[in-house]
Amino acid sequence: MPLPLHESLGALAQRFKNISCVALCGTYDEVLTHFKKAARRKTLLWLGSSIGNCSTSDACKFLSNIVDRALVPNDAIIVGMDRKKDPKVIMDAYHDSQKVTDEFELNALSHVNNVIADTVAMLKGSTSPDPSVDGLFDVSKFDYTGDYDEVTGRHSAYLRALEDVAIRWPRELLNTVKSICGSDADLVLKQGEQIFIEASYKFGKAAPEILARDSGLTHSVEWTDSRGYYTLNLFRKPLATMSPLSSELTSENINAIQYGAPTDHAHRLSTLFGNVVTTRQPSAIPRVSEWKHMWSVWDALTLSIISKEKLFCRPIDLRHPFIFYLGHLPAFADIHMSRAESAPLTEPVSYAEWFERGIDPNIEDPTICHSHSTPPADWPEI
């Protein structure tokens, strides 16, 4: 276990003696599936405001990945979100008078210098950084700057060249540079030219509800500080959802996620958010994802309303047992789709006969029933 993780775990275990602490070392993708193995209901904590590193579409995808890989129904996740606020407050936070943020962002160039020196040394078979490539980027020739877009709620951070700068790549890396950039020529930055470092997104008030809907969660509770600058949001994974899918998000909805404002700039969304904004028109023919979603709702309803031991009981003597109603809609749909496509029925084909028609008493004489499916000697197990 890496020392920082060991130290963090030790501090938590010491402070919260009534909680069992276990460390998992890895990327999000590597550790997410471990959470799904938990026998008890669980709550994940994603504190801070790391979700702000994601654009709206990426935040939806990230949460969806957590839902699919780490959560089971009734599990929860608490997510910290930075609220959209006065632009001056945003700019002051990212451009503090003590220049702490400046040092942090400029350190990126120092880190690049270290990585390149270590890489060249490794290629030469040396165990120590190569002094010949020390200071590939002269940090003193750059400063930190940024801007905030009120429409998108996005703060962008840049490193700006204070004078014309030429970056000469070590010959050991020329092939790699050419494969990435298409050329191994020196990198020339003109005075005032900027290197993009990172973006941080702020979210409007409607964001939690819309993100929940698009990632298969429900938004249960929101806690905020006294100024409304920051929120903690409790999301739960339901058995099933009846919410529209992500492709049905409109420009108004997307606007509300990060802007919390009217749609004055909705025309910019198609370029800002790519595949999240859709022009797809409603269709009577469901896509595969919509079809799967509909049946997941059906399964959640039918398998939770009636307990398993009651499925083979009859609601009244003249009706089929409850299990018939679980198979009725799927069988009926299969019969009609097979007819429309001139395709064979789904196996086992006996289900079409068993589940096609229910028992309907004659209105004139309730003791007589209309024709109905012939029930099997033994209904199939769930």
Side-chain angles (χ1 to χ4, degrees), residues 54-327:
C54 305
S55 66
T56 302
S57 58
D58 287 340
C60 292
K61 291 175 185 176
F62 189 86
L63 284 178
S64 295
N65 190 38
I66 293 177
V67 171
D68 294 339
R69 301 184 60 192
L71 304 182
V72 298
N74 295 320
D75 282 348
I77 179 171
I78 295 177
V79 180
M81 299 176 71
D82 207 1
R83 273 272 184 86
K84 191 169 179 285
K85 54 187 78 71
D86 188 326
K88 184 179 185 307
V89 174
I90 300 288
M91 292 300 288
D92 287 349
Y94 286 100
H95 304 270
D96 56 287
S97 58
Q98 291 79 26
K99 302 290 185 180
V100 174
T101 307
D102 295 51
E103 292 180 23
F104 174 81
E105 299 290 3
L106 287 165
N107 185 60
L109 295 181
S110 299
H111 182 64
V112 169
N113 288 339
N114 293 338
V115 169
I116 289 178
D118 289 343
T119 302
V120 170
M122 180 186 68
L123 293 173
K124 289 182 174 182
S126 174
T127 57
S128 57
D130 192 317
S132 66
V133 295
D134 185 37
L136 186 69
F137 284 89
D138 186 343
V139 180
S140 67
K141 294 181 179 180
F142 293 85
D143 71 355
Y144 161 65
T145 186
D147 55 59
Y148 179 62
D149 188 328
E150 292 184 64
V151 177
T152 61
R154 166 178 160 149
H155 178 272
S156 300
Y158 305 91
L159 296 181
R160 178 174 55 192
L162 298 174
E163 56 185 79
D164 291 352
V165 178
I167 309 300
R168 293 177 172 82
W169 305 108
R171 60 183 178 80
E172 292 82 1
L173 297 180
L174 290 180
N175 288 336
T176 302
V177 171
K178 187 173 183 178
S179 68
I180 295 173
C181 304
S183 170
D184 58 8
D186 293 348
L187 174 63
V188 178
L189 299 175
K190 297 295 185 181
Q191 180 180 6
E193 195 168 351
Q194 299 179 147
I195 303 173
F196 172 72
I197 298 296
E198 63 177 342
S200 301
Y201 290 87
K202 313 305 168 189
F203 295 87
K205 292 182 179 180
E209 292 289 347
I210 299 173
L211 288 173
R213 185 188 69 185
D214 194 42
S215 56
L217 294 165
T218 57
H219 184 228
S220 301
V221 183
E222 178 183 79
W223 300 277
T224 185
D225 63 294
S226 58
R227 296 175 298 180
Y229 283 2
Y230 179 80
T231 65
L232 289 176
N233 298 272
L234 174 63
F235 298 95
R236 293 192 182 279
K237 180 175 181 176
L239 284 171
T241 65
M242 295 296 289
S243 303
L245 300 178
S246 59
S247 63
E248 294 172 10
L249 287 177
T250 64
S251 57
E252 289 78 12
N253 290 338
I254 297 295
N255 202 46
I257 290 180
Q258 285 174 327
Y259 318 155
T263 57
D264 328 4
H265 307 275
H267 64 279
R268 297 176 54 186
L269 295 175
S270 59
T271 54
L272 289 171
F273 296 106
N275 61 358
V276 176
V277 179
T278 179
T279 58
R280 179 178 178 269
Q281 297 300 313
S283 170
I285 303 174
R287 293 171 298 167
V288 173
S289 59
E290 293 169 328
W291 189 257
K292 289 181 177 179
H293 179 75
M294 180 187 71
W295 287 116
S296 71
V297 174
W298 171 255
D299 288 341
L301 288 172
T302 54
L303 296 176
S304 60
I305 291 176
I306 302 172
S307 61
K308 192 171 182 179
E309 59 271 15
K310 296 284 189 183
L311 286 176
F312 299 96
C313 298
R314 293 172 178 268
I316 59 175
D317 289 341
L318 289 177
R319 294 288 186 183
H320 284 309
F322 287 113
I323 191 173
F324 169 83
Y325 301 97
L326 271 65

